[in-house]
Amino acid sequence: MDYHLNDKFKIFSLNSNQALTEEIVKHLGCELGRSSVKRFSDGEIQISIEESVRGCEVYVVQSTSYPGNENIMELLIMVDALKRASAKRINVVMPYYGYARQDRKARSREPITAKLIANLLETAGVTRVITMDLHAPQIQGFFDMPVDQLQGVPILSDYFANKGLQDIVVVAPDNGGVVRARKMAEASMRQLPSLTNAVQSQT
C-alpha cells in the first residue's frame, strides 16, 4: 500500500524490533532510514545516521525489552543524534515500555523507574511516544508530551475467536494485567457466547 509519503517522513529501526519495522515500511510503501549501530571495544554504543533528517518527521521503532538497558541506551543515543541533526519531530514507536512495572512506590525508598524512563526520553528530545498496553494507564501521566497507547485486546480477541477454541482461559501474569485479561475475556464472550471464559491472576 503506497501512502505517497513525502521525503520529510523518515522511519528508522534499532535492534529490538527490526522485523516489525520491516513490516511497517512494507505496509507504508516507504524505505527504511539508513543508520548503523556499532560498539566500541569497551561496549559503548555508537550510532550513525547515514542520511539527512533536517526538518523531517522522524519515527524510531525501538522497544525497551530484553536486554532492556542496552535498548534504552540505543534509543536515547539515537534520539540525541536525530535532535542534533535538526529533525523537526522525533516520534518513538515503543511496542514494549520497559520498567513499566515500577510505576509506584510499593515500599519506602523505592524508585519510580517508569517515571525516570519518561524523563530520560523527554530530556533526550522525544516529542511523542506510541506504545502498547502499558502496565498501568496512569504511566501516560508521567509524560509532558503526547502519548498514544494502543490496545492489543481487540486484535488478540479476534485472533483467538477465529481459531474456534473451546473453554478459553485468559490468564493475567500479575495484578497489573488483570484488567486487560478481563477485557479480553469479555470480548471473547461477546464474539463466542457459547464458550466458557475465565480469568485467572497469578501473583
Side-chain angles (χ1 to χ4, degrees):
M1 183 178 295
D2 187 356
Y3 287 90
H4 304 290
L5 300 172
N6 61 41
D7 59 0
K8 291 300 182 182
F9 173 89
K10 305 282 185 180
I11 181 168
F12 291 89
S13 177
L14 295 172
N15 285 323
S16 69
N17 292 110
Q18 290 182 341
L20 173 61
T21 314
E22 289 172 2
E23 289 189 31
I24 291 172
V25 297
K26 182 178 179 181
H27 181 73
L28 293 177
C30 62
E31 294 184 359
L32 182 64
R34 298 189 303 274
S35 64
S36 63
V37 181
K38 300 177 182 177
R39 296 289 192 279
F40 290 107
S41 59
D42 62 356
E44 289 181 8
I45 299 166
Q46 180 188 32
I47 289 180
S48 297
I49 300 170
E50 298 168 353
E51 61 183 277
S52 174
V53 295
R54 182 177 297 275
C56 292
E57 182 90 14
V58 177
Y59 287 77
V60 181
V61 182
Q62 174 83 333
S63 286
T64 50
S65 52
Y66 180 85
N69 297 335
E70 285 283 309
N71 288 336
I72 288 170
M73 283 306 301
E74 275 189 13
L75 178 57
L76 294 175
I77 294 169
M78 180 66 164
V79 170
D80 185 71
L82 291 166
K83 181 175 68 174
R84 295 177 188 278
S86 300
K88 183 179 181 180
R89 281 188 291 269
I90 304 170
N91 307 275
V92 171
V93 180
M94 188 181 294
Y96 178 85
Y97 185 89
Y99 286 100
R101 286 183 291 268
Q102 300 181 48
D103 60 358
R104 62 190 176 88
K105 284 175 68 81
R107 292 182 292 273
S108 299
R109 297 175 296 280
E110 280 192 344
I112 304 178
T113 318
K115 170 61 174 169
L116 173 62
I117 298 300
N119 290 345
L120 290 170
L121 293 172
E122 289 193 14
T123 301
V126 175
T127 52
R128 180 184 177 207
V129 171
I130 303 167
T131 188
M132 287 194 67
D133 290 325
L134 289 168
H135 186 256
Q138 63 264 24
I139 291 175
Q140 296 175 81
F142 293 167
F143 292 87
D144 293 321
M145 64 170 134
V147 176
D148 295 318
Q149 181 192 199
L150 307 180
Q151 302 289 335
V153 168
I155 294 174
L156 291 172
S157 59
D158 286 346
Y159 172 78
F160 286 109
N162 291 334
K163 291 182 76 69
L165 302 174
Q166 300 294 320
D167 298 324
I168 298 174
V169 178
V170 182
V171 180
D174 56 29
N175 287 331
V178 170
V179 173
R180 288 191 300 275
R182 286 198 177 114
K183 287 181 179 178
M184 187 168 173
E186 290 167 0
S188 299
M189 283 287 284
R190 285 194 296 270
Q191 295 181 62
L192 298 171
S194 61
L195 297 184
T196 301
N197 295 269
V199 179
Q200 295 181 348
S201 175
Q202 297 177 345
T203 58

